[in-house]
Amino acid sequence: MDLASLLIAHHVLALGGIRETAKVLDRPVSSVSAALARLQFHIATPLTTTSGNRIQPTLEGVRIGRDLQRAAMLVGELSGLGDKDGSPEDGARLSVPLLALQRFLVVGRSSSIRRAAQEIGIGQPQLTRQIRSLERDLGLPLLDRAAAGAVPNASGQRVIALGEELEAIWLKISDHAGDRFRRAASTTRVGSVTPLGRESLIARILAKLAADWPKHMPRRPLYISSTNAEELLSGITDRTYDLVLVDTLDMPPGVEHRVISRSGLAMVGAADVIADHRGDLRQLLLRHPIALPSLKSGLRQKFGLLTEDILTPDERAGLSFVEIDSIPVIANLVSDHGYIALLPLWAIPQPDERMAAIALPEAYDMHLSLAWKKGAAAETIARTAEHILGSMPFPVTGRNPPAA
């Protein structure tokens, strides 16, 4: 880790963007991005997440950001000890390895390069070269050398004060990095489409997987996160996930999958709304507002197939709908605000006299699939998940899983 990376990472978090930081610090975009990646690698935790075109700090980024702000100020002071003005631009070019600064602290405490080299466990010539390189990078001498040893001069004393505080900050933010590295390397990352609620099939599948996983893979901790089908399949391709649970059969090249559940779908609405149309899906869709998930979801893709089959292009263009990637919100729109929605049969409350549904033909059935990138390691993970879920009873409102 080098000092410039600490300062650059602070500015990325503070300014909310790689390009903005590159402009302020007068550095190439690639070097700013590399500095942030370098720090995240060394501390084994992500500091940022992307939201549109903006970078937002993660919760850990917010916590560490306060220490990085102080570190950036210290790096700025170090860069100003020589002939420079200590500006952020100068600090961003101060590619001094933190290790070199830490070794100078040992020299300062022992007042001898020879004794410091023995304490560190390296050769005296190597340590001498590192100290001279540090002096060259900072632009000033740090030691008064004499036959009796090497004593820090006034500049060296200031570097020691700044260096000790920087060292304390680094030890704080990199604490437990080794544990995080080991855990990240062994963790199985599972992604899933978002459960429809506590009692939903997806929630039950994920709970079963989490509960039984340690029995089968005790040395591989399980991490589960939820998002939409499009991002899950993209995550399989770039290996963000080892295994995903998705509600689509459209897989990218190089991805294997196994269907574990198949459910019928239905247009759902308040009982009086459904009764008014007596099973006429076309009129139901044309006359009532619709609550839909976004185009990134498998459920929305099924809705698109349905409307293409029963509506004309002009009728599809005139549909009244709202897009919400939250099934609980969709459920409230249906129950309390006169909306209709497309839902799996097993997601419909049973019994609920206020609600009614028009079941769709089997051609529109929703499939839940386990998907993974081709490769021996991922296939082992997939087989373990299939074994865990093999004994799980599927809801009577859905259809049976297809045979292997």
Side-chain angles (χ1 to χ4, degrees):
M1 176 52 53
D2 61 271
L3 301 184
S5 293
L6 298 176
L7 182 142
I8 290 171
H10 157 67
H11 279 81
V12 172
L13 292 176
L15 297 174
I18 299 289
R19 293 186 181 278
E20 293 86 345
T21 299
K23 184 177 180 180
V24 167
L25 299 181
D26 192 25
R27 302 294 295 158
V29 170
S30 59
S31 69
V32 172
S33 179
L36 179 64
R38 190 158 49 245
L39 176 59
Q40 292 180 131
F41 174 79
H42 277 281
I43 65 176
T45 191
L47 299 178
T48 64
T49 184
T50 302
S51 177
N53 294 326
R54 296 285 295 172
I55 287 178
Q56 302 287 342
T58 61
L59 292 177
E60 190 68 0
V62 171
R63 185 184 71 82
I64 290 177
R66 291 184 281 269
D67 294 314
L68 286 177
Q69 181 180 22
R70 178 57 183 163
M73 294 174 61
L74 296 171
V75 172
E77 288 191 49
L78 279 172
S79 70
L81 290 178
D83 296 330
K84 301 175 183 178
D85 60 9
S87 66
E89 293 90 338
D90 289 336
R93 292 173 174 81
L94 193 62
S95 55
V96 173
L98 188 59
L99 180 62
L101 185 60
Q102 290 171 316
R103 286 179 173 177
F104 174 71
L105 298 182
V106 179
V107 173
R109 287 193 292 266
S110 62
S111 296
S112 166
I113 293 179
R114 181 181 60 82
R115 288 193 295 271
Q118 292 174 341
E119 180 179 337
I120 295 168
I122 63 174
Q124 182 176 340
Q126 180 184 355
L127 182 56
T128 298
R129 287 193 299 271
Q130 288 181 342
I131 299 303
R132 292 195 184 281
S133 177
L134 177 63
E135 290 177 319
R136 185 171 57 251
D137 288 334
L138 294 178
L140 73 173
L142 302 177
L143 297 171
D144 290 332
R145 294 168 172 85
V151 179
N153 58 26
S155 295
Q157 292 289 352
R158 183 59 183 152
V159 170
I160 288 173
L162 295 172
E164 287 178 341
E165 190 172 353
L166 273 167
E167 182 181 46
I169 290 173
W170 175 246
L171 291 174
K172 179 181 178 182
I173 66 178
S174 63
D175 190 29
H176 305 307
D179 291 339
R180 288 196 294 263
F181 269 125
R182 287 189 289 274
R183 185 173 180 85
S186 65
T187 295
T188 297
R189 297 154 299 174
V190 174
S192 170
V193 288
T194 305
L196 305 186
R198 178 178 175 274
E199 300 296 332
S200 72
L201 175 61
I202 296 172
R204 292 169 55 202
I205 287 174
L206 296 178
K208 174 71 172 175
L209 198 59
D212 288 3
W213 189 264
K215 304 173 187 175
H216 300 270
M217 292 282 196
R219 296 184 179 180
R220 288 191 64 99
L222 189 66
Y223 169 77
I224 299 175
S225 63
S226 298
T227 184
N228 55 62
E230 182 177 300
E231 293 179 0
L232 290 170
L233 293 177
S234 175
I236 277 288
T237 302
D238 65 19
R239 301 191 183 277
T240 299
Y241 301 109
D242 300 300
L243 183 72
V244 297
L245 179 65
V246 289
D247 53 0
T248 180
L249 296 178
D250 297 324
M251 302 292 166
V255 173
E256 302 278 7
H257 79 283
R258 167 86 163 90
V259 176
I260 62 169
S261 177
R262 176 178 174 179
S263 172
L265 296 178
M267 290 303 304
V268 183
D272 57 344
V273 169
I274 298 298
D276 286 345
H277 296 285
R278 300 178 182 179
D280 188 336
L281 274 175
R282 180 174 172 275
Q283 291 301 316
L284 182 67
L285 291 168
L286 292 174
R287 295 183 181 181
H288 293 276
I290 309 160
L292 296 171
S294 72
L295 288 168
K296 295 181 178 181
S297 69
L299 199 58
R300 178 63 176 274
Q301 301 301 320
K302 291 293 184 180
F303 180 82
L305 292 175
L306 173 66
T307 56
E308 287 176 5
D309 288 343
I310 67 175
L311 299 179
T312 67
D314 287 344
E315 288 172 334
R316 293 198 299 272
L319 290 177
S320 172
F321 64 89
V322 61
E323 288 185 322
I324 300 175
D325 279 325
S326 170
I327 296 299
V329 175
I330 289 176
N332 276 287
L333 285 171
V334 171
S335 63
D336 300 335
H337 300 281
Y339 277 72
I340 59 174
L342 182 65
L343 293 174
L345 289 172
W346 48 260
I348 301 169
Q350 300 288 336
D352 189 336
E353 296 180 354
R354 302 170 302 165
M355 308 291 290
I358 300 175
L360 303 187
E362 289 190 15
Y364 301 104
D365 278 3
M366 177 67 71
H367 298 78
L368 282 178
S369 300
L370 289 175
W372 61 94
K373 186 86 169 179
K374 288 182 179 178
E379 287 169 4
T380 298
I381 291 170
R383 284 196 300 271
T384 302
E386 288 183 60
H387 177 73
I388 290 173
L389 301 176
S391 61
M392 184 175 178
F394 288 88
V396 296
T397 51
R399 309 195 196 282
N400 293 327

